[in-house]
């Protein structure tokens, strides 16, 4: 059975100020942290052990996930004193796993419903060194692209360019043969995307693409974070209210909004296309559109908030 490493130690600068006190993977999407969605996805692919590779705000994860028993999975923690980059983080976390099984690595800021179990199966049947999930986007100019040959082998890792040679991009979910991880230097800052993968391809290693275009979204920017939540909520409902919420019957909540655990929404409030995290108080007749309200924030009666981040004491326009 495969084991997994979740990369959750980045600074999340593009989501400041939301990431000032909350690491990006712990931001709420459809009522729960992004990491919790990923744990559920990994578990449904048969993974039984996960290491969270943490660094920035590492102390936030343990109180929430503990040993993982609440999710029926074993969760362990690797902490980098200084961020080691994606490759260094994988090497560091793999020490805890000490495994000869396939190691799945998930970028902590991606929501994907691709078939991970099949990705692992193909990786093992190819006896590959690494198998990367590749997805296809309409416009690949904002991404580095990853061409493959007719056998599905990766032929190059190309930087962002004006005229991409393919619309296939790295989707941030890898299956590694553990012997490859052990070649990454310990306690050294390494990027898998910019160093390890290109070197492997240059050295003729067996690097395969698993091309699947199921739902996929990188939640690294404010607009994407809101979109992810709205997409998930709308799969089943117009809005989502988590346990412990108090919502006045005259409030109107639409557009895939989610209301976090123990939050309250006052009379006549209108919430559209927004994320309200846990423990928020939304005053009566407040109007909140296309916005993210951070855990514990209070929105005063009658406030009009559009396309903004609301933290305690601050309302900032989303760039
Ligand atoms: P930005 O600063 O907004 O680019 O976000 P980021 O810091 O999260 O960087 P990026 O989106 O490139 O990171 C991709 C994934 O790798 C995220 O889930 C990060 O949490 C994770 N990550 C990036 N760098 C490190 C690191 O040095 N250590 C660990 N453990 N994880 C990392």
């Amino acid at each position: 059975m495969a084991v997994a490493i979740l990369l959750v130690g980045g600074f999340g600068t593009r989501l400041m100020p939301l990431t000032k006190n909350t690491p990006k993977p712990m931001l709420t999407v459809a009522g729960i942290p992004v990491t919790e969605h990923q744990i559920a996805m990994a578990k449904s692919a048969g993974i039984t052990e996960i290491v969270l590779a943490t660094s920035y705000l590492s102390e936030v994860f343990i109180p929430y996930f503990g040993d993982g028993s609440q999710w029926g999975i074993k969760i362990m923690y690797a902490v980098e004193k200084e961020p080691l980059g994606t490759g260094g983080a994988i090497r560091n976390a793999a020490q805890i796993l000490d495994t000869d099984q396939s190691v799945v690595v998930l970028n902590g800021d991606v929501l994907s419903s691709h078939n991970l179990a099949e990705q692992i199966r193909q990786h093992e049947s190819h006896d590959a060194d690494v198998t990367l999930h590749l997805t296809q986007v309409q416009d690949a100019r904002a991404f580095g692209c990853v061409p493959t040959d007719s056998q599905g082998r990766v032929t190059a890792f190309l930087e962002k360019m004006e005229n991409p040679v393919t619309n296939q991009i790295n989707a941030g979910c890898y299956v590694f043969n553990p012997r490859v991880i052990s070649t990454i230097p310990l306690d050294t800052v390494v990027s898998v995307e910019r160093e390890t993968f290109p070197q492997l391809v240059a050295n003729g290693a067996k690097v395969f693409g698993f091309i699947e275009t199921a739902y996929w979204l990188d939640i690294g920017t404010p607009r994407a974070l809101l979109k992810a939540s709205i997409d998930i909520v709308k799969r089943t409902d117009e809005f989502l209210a988590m346990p412990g919420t108090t919502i006045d019957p005259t409030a109107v909540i639409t557009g895939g909004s989610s209301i976090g655990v123990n939050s309250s929404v006052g009379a006549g409030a209108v919430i559209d296309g927004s994320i309200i995290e846990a423990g928020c108080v939304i005053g009566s007749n407040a109007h909140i559109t296309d916005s993210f309200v951070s855990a514990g924030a209070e929105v005063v009666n009658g406030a009009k908030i559009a396309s903004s981040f609301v933290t305690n004491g601050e309302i900032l326009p989303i760039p």
Side-chain angles (χ1 to χ4, degrees):
M1 196 50 65
V3 293
I5 295 171
L6 255 65
L7 299 174
V8 294
F11 289 115
T13 40
R14 288 167 297 162
L15 285 169
M16 281 289 178
L18 298 182
T19 43
K20 204 155 85 185
N21 301 311
T22 307
K24 176 167 62 172
M26 287 302 281
L27 292 173
T28 303
V29 160
I32 55 174
V34 176
T35 301
E36 197 171 339
H37 289 283
Q38 292 192 306
I39 287 171
M41 186 260 199
K43 190 180 172 201
S44 66
I47 285 164
T48 53
E49 282 185 27
I50 293 184
V51 179
L52 299 190
T54 68
S55 182
Y56 175 64
L57 296 175
S58 57
E59 66 281 6
V60 175
F61 294 91
I62 298 177
Y64 192 92
F65 291 109
D67 64 2
S69 47
Q70 200 181 323
W71 290 267
I73 194 160
K74 182 173 175 192
I75 298 181
M76 294 163 284
Y77 301 87
V79 183
E80 300 143 49
K81 270 206 205 99
E82 295 297 329
L84 290 171
T86 46
I90 294 167
R91 176 71 164 101
N92 186 56
Q95 292 185 105
I96 295 182
L97 285 166
D98 188 26
T99 184
D100 55 4
Q101 303 167 57
S102 301
V103 178
V104 173
V105 175
L106 298 170
N107 267 4
D109 56 356
V110 168
L111 289 171
S112 175
S113 49
H114 76 282
N115 189 341
L116 175 56
E118 177 61 15
Q119 183 183 350
I120 299 168
R121 197 197 62 73
Q122 286 192 14
H123 171 82
E124 291 175 352
S125 77
H126 288 138
D127 189 25
D129 290 304
V130 184
T131 303
L132 297 92
H133 174 211
L134 304 178
T135 190
Q136 287 165 338
V137 290
Q138 292 251 307
D139 182 357
R141 280 176 303 176
F143 303 89
C145 60
V146 185
T148 44
D149 68 14
S150 57
Q151 311 298 313
R153 268 179 92 146
V154 171
T155 52
F157 283 83
L158 303 171
E159 298 286 337
K160 289 177 197 172
M161 58 175 92
E162 244 332 282
N163 296 304
V165 297
T166 166
N167 62 349
Q168 267 175 203
I169 62 159
N170 174 0
C173 172
Y174 322 121
V175 188
F176 275 89
N177 184 312
R179 73 170 177 258
V180 173
I181 296 180
S182 60
T183 65
I184 299 172
L186 258 180
D187 298 325
T188 308
V189 177
V190 178
S191 159
V192 272
E193 299 85 352
R194 287 191 299 276
E195 298 169 70
T196 314
F197 294 151
Q199 279 161 16
L200 284 168
V201 169
N203 294 339
K206 284 165 105 179
V207 181
F208 278 86
F210 174 73
I211 302 157
E212 208 203 287
T213 54
Y215 182 83
W216 178 87
L217 198 64
D218 171 343
I219 57 93
T221 65
R223 300 276 167 208
L225 183 69
L226 284 170
K227 180 173 169 14
S229 189
I230 291 166
D231 286 347
I232 294 172
V233 171
K234 279 194 168 172
R235 276 179 207 158
T236 49
D237 250 315
E238 189 55 24
F239 76 95
L240 167 73
M242 294 300 285
T245 50
T246 314
I247 299 175
D248 188 277
T250 61
V252 178
I253 306 176
T254 53
S257 297
S258 60
I259 315 294
V261 173
N262 297 332
S263 286
S264 66
V265 180
V270 175
I271 300 176
D272 182 38
S274 296
I275 298 174
I276 313 295
E277 287 201 311
C280 295
V281 178
I282 310 300
S284 54
N285 299 311
H287 283 215
I288 302 176
T289 311
D290 304 329
S291 294
F292 189 106
V293 181
S294 285
E298 204 166 313
V299 173
V300 298
N301 295 349
K304 301 279 178 280
I305 293 170
S307 286
S308 297
F309 289 140
V310 182
T311 62
N312 242 332
E314 250 186 334
I315 302 177
L316 290 173
I318 288 177

